[in-house]
Amino acid sequence: MGGDATPLVWHGDGEPALGSAEAARMLDVPASALEAWSRRLQFPRDIGGAAGPRFRRSEIVALQEALPLAHSVSGAILVARRRVQA
């Protein structure tokens, strides 16, 4: 196990939450892009607070799986949102 792993923070509903930098690394995008998607497209949803943006791990994983298959970010978000809501 590497020393660069960031510990998970748990959201109030019991689901792991990731900071924007860690979530952006998983998606291979800049954190600013991820935060813009959250603001403009409402996915992934920012569940953060005073400590800064945080995202549910399930939403990031769904988006990570959808991005390579979609022709656009909005298309990937549509697919990922459906997977999370299913």
Side-chain angles (χ1 to χ4, degrees), residues 12-24:
D13 62 4
E15 184 174 355
L18 305 170
S20 60
E22 183 177 5

Side-chain angles (χ1 to χ4, degrees), residues 17-20 28 38-39 41 43 50 59 62 65-66 72 75 79 85:
L18 305 170
S20 60
D28 196 26
S38 180
R39 279 190 309 276
L41 304 170
F43 196 88
E59 292 182 354
E65 293 170 353
S72 67
V79 169
Q85 292 174 347

Side-chain angles (χ1 to χ4, degrees), residues 15 27 42-47 55-64 80 84:
E15 184 174 355
L27 299 172
Q42 276 69 59
F43 196 88
R45 292 170 292 166
D46 180 356
I47 58 170
F55 302 96
R56 284 183 171 85
R57 187 173 192 285
S58 62
E59 292 182 354
I60 299 302
V61 169
L63 193 51
Q64 184 182 39
V84 170

Side-chain angles (χ1 to χ4, degrees), residues 3 9 23 25 30 32 34 42 52-53 57 64 71 75 80 83 86:
V9 175
R25 274 193 302 276
S32 59
L34 178 61
Q42 276 69 59
R57 187 173 192 285
Q64 184 182 39
H71 297 287
R83 286 182 182 177

